């Protein structure tokens, strides 16, 4: 009987545990409760993966992202409001504070409603830029669904994104097409390595405001692949923010809809699989890297198991190793650096003296060991071992450890006879010493013989 209860308890805990590496508390901000039924399959998929969904209205007086100074939720999902804002609990400052405290956010927009100015202000802080006309939708006359949008052409049909890591696995890739009805477009800031596009609009797409009386489009700020439909931002603390331009793509209808392109080809959408991949990345089920054991030691002390000394000497030979794991759905697996990429170690003071590639040297049950060997430069001071690995769609790795590098001690310098370049001078020294001794010996034993005076003193 007791073992039956143990099995039941274990099964309950397994079901209740979310696949996310950062928690299962998910706040869903939904203004109109009647819209909840439109996303029933999407909610069911999240709950099946162990998330605890809490549906709240942005007008609720009990809504708060923080409680007693700590996060009240691990993740935040915001559906587009129909009013002019999200209320004081979801102000841009509070959402930014939530992200700064390692919270993850999925924000959905819709071209059917005007984007509130508060959301536009939030997106500007994260370097997402909406059109000056916040009621615009993406229109494409060559890549649209002829069944649901034969006249408006505002239901985009785009292929699923390509694989990010072809040699291992992908985050958003796969077969099939995606349908994005009434997508609200946005653009990304220039020279910002924290933001990255996931789905771009086709080259023939453009932004259009259906509320304008004129049928022509003038002064278009961005067109084609300059427009983004789905984008992501990952902060320096590895918190994730995803912007979905078409929240309607998560509805039950589009999870299994049949679409037809202008060329006459019919196919079924892959929105459901894409939504699972998108939320898995946003809520840290994939792409999460973890650092395990970090060791450095003299090359002669590797077998002695005396790692991480606080001081080295110039010209020492050092071995450095680091263990890396990747979170995959519900457990950590060994992380493999893509073939076209490199994991590097910097041995730096004010600037790097060494920048070396770390190569795989071993593997444990859930991590890969990367290591390298190098010689300490002939420079004393405070040095740092630094591993700085920051790639799109992967959590950031930044490991730093300081050590002291000293000069040779007075009894550690090599003796003169060990330096072949000094043999000439040593030979000259001993030749001088030998010549002097020979001169002294010759001088002492070569005194002139005494002569006898012929005149004797009377």
């Amino acid at each position: 009987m007791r073992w039956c209860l143990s099995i039941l308890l274990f099964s309950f805990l397994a079901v209740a545990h979310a696949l996310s590496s950062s928690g299962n508390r998910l706040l869903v901000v939904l203004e109109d409760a009647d819209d909840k039924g439109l996303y029933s399959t999407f909610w069911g998929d999240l709950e099946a993966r162990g998330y605890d969904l809490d549906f709240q209205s942005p007008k609720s007086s009990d809504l708060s992202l923080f409680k007693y100074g700590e996060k009240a939720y691990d993740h935040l999902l915001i559906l587009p409001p129909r009013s002019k804002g999200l209320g004081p609990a979801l102000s841009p400052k509070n959402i930014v504070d939530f992200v700064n405290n390692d919270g993850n956010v999925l924000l959905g927009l819709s071209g059917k409603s005007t984007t509130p100015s508060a959301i536009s202000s939030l997106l500007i802080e994260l370097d997402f830029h909406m059109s000056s006309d916040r009621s615009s939708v993406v229109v494409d006359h060559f890549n649209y669904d002829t069944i649901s949008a034969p006249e408006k052409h505002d239901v985009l049909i785009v292929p699923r994104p390509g694989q990010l890591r072809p040699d291992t696995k992908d985050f958003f890739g796969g077969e099939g097409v995606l349908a994005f009805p009434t997508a609200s477009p946005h653009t990304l800031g220039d020279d910002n390595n924290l933001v990255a596009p996931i789905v771009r609009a086709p080259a023939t797409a453009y932004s259009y405001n259906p509320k304008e009386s004129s049928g022509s489009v003038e002064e278009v700020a961005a067109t084609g692949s300059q427009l983004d439909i789905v984008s992501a931002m990952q902060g320096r603390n590895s918190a994730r923010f995803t912007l979905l331009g078409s929240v309607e793509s998560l509805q039950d209808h589009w999870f299994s809809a049949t679409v037809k392109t202008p060329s006459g080809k019919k196919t079924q959408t892959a929105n459901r699989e894409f939504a699972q991949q998108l939320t898995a990345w946003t809520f840290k089920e994939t792409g999460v890297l973890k650092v395990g054991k970090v060791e450095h030691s003299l090359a002669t002390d590797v077998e002695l198991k005396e790692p991480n000394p606080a001081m080295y000497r110039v010209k020492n030979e050092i071995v450095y190793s680091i263990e890396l794991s990747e979170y995959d759905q519900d457990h950590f697996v060994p992380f493999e650096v893509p073939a076209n990429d490199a994991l590097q170690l910097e041995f730096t003071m004010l600037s790097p003296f060494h920048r070396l590639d770390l190569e795989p040297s071993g593997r444990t049950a859930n991590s890969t060991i990367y290591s390298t060997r190098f010689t300490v430069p002939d420079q004393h001071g405070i040095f740092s071992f630094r591993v700085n690995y920051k790639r799109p769609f992967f959590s950031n790795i930044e490991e730093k450890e300081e050590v002291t590098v000293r000069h040779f001690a007075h009894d550690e310098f090599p003796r003169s006879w060990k330096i072949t370049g000094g043999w000439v001078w040593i030979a000259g020294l001993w030749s001088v010493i030998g010549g002097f001794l020979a001169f002294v010996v010759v001088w002492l034993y070569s005194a002139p013989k005494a002569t006898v005076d012929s005149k004797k003193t009377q």
Side-chain angles (χ1 to χ4, degrees):
M1 183 65 180
R2 183 175 299 176
W3 65 270
C4 291
L5 293 176
S6 300
I7 292 177
L8 291 175
L9 180 60
F10 177 80
S11 301
F12 173 78
L13 293 176
V15 172
H17 176 67
L19 299 180
S20 172
S21 61
S22 58
N24 64 341
R25 300 174 300 174
L26 174 59
L27 171 63
V28 180
V29 179
L30 181 63
E31 184 172 3
D32 192 349
D34 295 336
D35 293 341
K36 182 179 178 181
L38 301 175
Y39 306 88
S40 58
T41 304
F42 180 62
W43 309 136
D45 289 342
L46 291 174
E47 291 175 343
R49 282 149 54 193
Y51 289 100
D52 183 13
L53 275 61
D54 183 12
F55 293 90
Q56 293 283 347
S57 170
K59 301 178 181 179
S60 174
S61 58
D62 298 331
L63 178 61
S64 177
L65 297 177
F66 298 91
K67 187 176 182 180
Y68 306 120
E70 299 292 336
K71 290 185 303 179
Y73 303 94
D74 302 305
H75 317 287
L76 174 62
L77 196 160
I78 304 176
L79 273 67
R82 297 179 180 178
S83 57
K84 295 183 179 180
L86 293 171
L90 296 175
S91 64
K93 180 181 181 304
N94 290 342
I95 296 178
V96 171
D97 290 341
F98 183 76
V99 174
N100 290 335
N101 282 271
D102 300 328
N104 307 303
V105 180
L106 174 59
L107 173 61
L109 300 179
S110 175
K112 292 183 178 181
S113 59
T114 302
T115 303
S117 58
I119 292 182
S120 297
S121 301
L122 168 66
L123 296 178
I124 288 176
E125 291 195 43
L126 303 177
D127 216 4
F128 298 100
H129 301 275
M130 303 294 296
S131 172
S132 57
D133 188 351
R134 299 194 302 271
S135 300
S136 298
V137 297
V138 182
V139 176
D140 192 337
H141 303 299
F142 298 91
N143 301 278
Y144 67 95
D145 180 23
T146 59
I147 299 176
S148 59
E151 296 180 358
K152 295 183 177 180
H153 302 178
D154 57 355
V155 178
L156 266 67
I157 304 300
V158 298
R160 292 180 66 178
Q163 294 180 346
L164 298 178
R165 298 190 299 169
D167 57 332
T168 52
K169 66 177 184 179
D170 61 272
F171 292 130
F172 310 107
E175 298 179 354
V177 297
L178 303 176
F180 293 102
T182 60
S184 180
H186 61 274
T187 58
L188 303 180
D190 298 330
D191 300 327
N192 187 347
N193 55 4
L194 300 180
V195 296
I198 297 176
V199 178
R200 292 186 181 274
T204 53
Y206 63 92
S207 176
Y208 170 69
N209 184 3
K211 297 181 180 180
E212 292 181 354
S213 58
S214 175
S216 61
V217 179
E218 298 179 358
E219 299 181 359
V220 178
T223 60
S225 57
Q226 297 174 335
L227 299 174
D228 295 294
I229 302 174
V230 186
S231 302
M233 189 281 298
Q234 182 169 252
R236 292 184 175 86
N237 61 347
S238 296
R240 296 171 177 179
F241 186 100
T242 301
L243 179 60
L244 175 61
S246 173
V247 73
E248 288 83 5
S249 64
L250 303 178
Q251 294 178 358
D252 298 344
H253 171 73
W254 295 105
F255 270 12
S256 58
T258 299
V259 294
K260 182 180 179 181
T261 61
S263 62
K265 182 180 178 180
K266 286 187 176 182
T267 183
Q268 192 171 11
T269 61
N271 285 29
R272 183 175 185 180
E273 292 77 8
F274 178 74
Q276 292 175 350
Q277 292 175 327
L278 188 65
T279 53
W281 182 85
T282 306
F283 301 149
K284 291 186 177 179
E285 297 178 33
T286 57
V288 179
L289 303 183
K290 183 183 74 170
V291 177
K293 185 185 298 183
V294 179
E295 291 185 350
H296 55 84
S297 63
L298 293 172
T300 56
D301 293 344
V302 173
E303 300 298 332
L304 300 179
K305 302 299 181 182
E306 297 180 359
N308 306 335
M311 182 179 296
Y312 290 101
R313 192 204 67 205
V314 298
K315 299 301 182 69
N316 275 150
E317 190 172 5
I318 297 178
V319 175
Y320 179 92
S321 64
I322 183 172
E323 294 184 5
L324 293 183
S325 304
E326 180 183 2
Y327 193 78
D328 185 17
Q329 302 301 329
D330 60 350
H331 64 288
F332 281 96
V333 297
F335 173 65
E336 300 293 339
V337 177
N340 57 351
D341 198 2
L343 177 68
Q344 293 184 324
L345 166 70
E346 290 184 353
F347 192 65
T348 176
M349 190 161 59
L350 295 178
S351 59
F353 279 71
H354 287 294
R355 183 179 286 119
L356 307 168
D357 289 347
L358 291 164
E359 302 294 340
S361 60
R363 177 175 291 194
T364 64
N366 57 3
S367 64
T368 302
I369 303 174
Y370 293 88
S371 62
T372 189
R373 178 183 297 220
F374 65 95
T375 302
V376 178
D378 191 4
Q379 172 68 47
H380 71 285
I382 305 299
F383 282 77
S384 299
F385 296 99
R386 294 191 62 184
V387 176
N388 190 3
Y389 188 78
K390 296 177 180 178
R391 301 294 186 271
F393 306 109
F394 285 104
S395 58
N396 299 327
I397 293 178
E398 189 168 4
E399 285 293 319
K400 180 179 178 181
E401 184 174 351
E402 294 183 349
V403 293
T404 302
V405 175
R406 62 176 178 83
H407 273 309
F408 284 96
H410 70 281
D411 58 347
E412 291 180 327
F413 287 97
R415 297 302 179 181
S416 57
W417 57 81
K418 293 183 179 180
I419 305 175
T420 57
W423 287 357
V424 176
W425 312 107
I426 294 174
L429 172 64
W430 283 109
S431 64
V432 171
I433 294 176
F436 175 75
L437 293 177
F439 172 77
V440 171
V441 172
V442 172
W443 176 264
L444 292 177
Y445 292 96
S446 64
K449 294 182 179 180
T451 58
V452 179
D453 193 1
S454 59
K455 295 182 180 181
K456 295 182 179 179
T457 303
Q458 297 299 327

